[in-house]
Amino acid sequence: MAFGPLAGRAFGLLGKEIQPLPQGCRRDDRGVMELTSVPLEKPGELNVILGQTHFIKTVEDLHEALAGTSPHLRFGLAFCEASGPRLIRRSGNDADLVALAVKNAHAIGAGHSFIVFLREGYPVNVLNAIKQVPEVCGIFCATANPVEVLVAETALGRGIVGVIDGSPPAGIEGTEDETARKSFLRATGYKL
């Protein structure tokens, strides 16, 4: 039995006192977070861009930005609303990529997130156009690598904490690696 000033009080990590809950609240309603890794489902070397935005107009603006970069670009995008009807909005010019974007947006389920899948083009060709869309707050990744999205969930909803993009380094670039990198960039036309 505890006596004195600490009697009947509870303490959490680092000795911080846990305050009593307001009447009618459960412990899960305040301060509890679950962290989940959501692997993106995508075939092979398909490129993906994952970002954060803030307005329903995003779908049309992203579509226009992507369509304006190249007449050959094939894309599908999805955007998760965070308020109102909270729908997954979608658009694109490739039905399979739109369906894939919707499927992945649903799995992530984070408000105000968007996902774009690309064919016949690369993120480096469209990132500046996407970043110029006024509603876009930031980009989490733009890659063809396997991706896991780190999603935090609280009583309020879900949010993207970050991403795991590909695998960790296997070594340090040597002289032959540097020569190969420079040759690749020139062969693909990205450097003169």
Side-chain angles (χ1 to χ4, degrees), residues 127-159:
L127 270 176
N128 281 337
I130 288 175
K131 290 188 276 187
Q132 291 300 311
V133 171
E135 302 88 50
V136 171
C137 302
I139 304 292
F140 291 106
C141 69
T143 186
N145 292 330
V147 174
E148 291 182 9
V149 182
L150 304 179
V151 177
E153 185 169 2
T154 69
L156 178 62
R158 292 165 63 97

Side-chain angles (χ1 to χ4, degrees), residues 8 20-22 24 41 64 101 111 116 123 131 138 161 173 178 188:
L21 292 173
E41 182 181 315
E64 291 168 359
V116 178
K131 290 188 276 187
V161 176
E173 181 179 55
E178 181 181 3
T188 56

Side-chain angles (χ1 to χ4, degrees), residues 156-180:
L156 178 62
R158 292 165 63 97
I160 298 173
V161 176
V163 297
I164 309 296
D165 179 351
S167 303
I172 298 170
E173 181 179 55
T175 305
E176 289 179 20
D177 303 306
E178 181 181 3
T179 301

Side-chain angles (χ1 to χ4, degrees), residues 62-64 66-68 70 73-77 91-95 97-98 116-119:
L62 283 176
H63 184 114
E64 291 168 359
L66 290 162
S70 166
L73 182 70
R74 309 303 298 159
F75 64 91
L77 69 98
S91 190
N93 61 12
D94 183 302
L97 295 179
V98 171
V116 178
F117 285 99
L118 303 173
R119 264 197 200 113

Side-chain angles (χ1 to χ4, degrees), residues 14-187:
L14 304 176
K16 184 176 178 183
E17 184 173 0
I18 299 172
Q19 299 297 317
L21 292 173
Q23 189 168 1
C25 285
R26 301 182 333 264
R27 179 63 57 196
D28 287 353
D29 291 340
R30 192 183 70 165
V32 175
M33 178 184 75
E34 181 179 330
L35 189 60
T36 307
S37 174
V38 179
L40 289 186
E41 182 181 315
K42 66 181 197 68
E45 295 292 312
L46 191 65
N47 279 283
V48 62
I49 300 169
L50 180 65
Q52 185 84 24
T53 185
H54 72 90
F55 191 50
I56 191 173
K57 188 166 88 70
T58 298
V59 174
E60 284 83 2
D61 288 355
L62 283 176
H63 184 114
E64 291 168 359
L66 290 162
T69 61
S70 166
H72 305 290
L73 182 70
R74 309 303 298 159
F75 64 91
L77 69 98
F79 160 67
C80 295
E81 288 181 320
S83 59
R86 297 193 326 262
L87 301 174
I88 296 174
R89 306 287 181 170
R90 75 233 184 297
S91 190
N93 61 12
D94 183 302
D96 292 338
L97 295 179
V98 171
L100 187 61
V102 168
K103 183 176 186 175
N104 279 278
H106 188 261
I108 295 166
H112 284 162
S113 63
F114 71 88
I115 189 164
V116 178
F117 285 99
L118 303 173
R119 264 197 200 113
E120 309 301 327
Y122 300 97
V124 69
N125 304 123
V126 300
L127 270 176
N128 281 337
I130 288 175
K131 290 188 276 187
Q132 291 300 311
V133 171
E135 302 88 50
V136 171
C137 302
I139 304 292
F140 291 106
C141 69
T143 186
N145 292 330
V147 174
E148 291 182 9
V149 182
L150 304 179
V151 177
E153 185 169 2
T154 69
L156 178 62
R158 292 165 63 97
I160 298 173
V161 176
V163 297
I164 309 296
D165 179 351
S167 303
I172 298 170
E173 181 179 55
T175 305
E176 289 179 20
D177 303 306
E178 181 181 3
T179 301
R181 170 175 49 86
K182 290 178 178 180
S183 295
F184 170 77
L185 292 172
R186 280 148 186 82

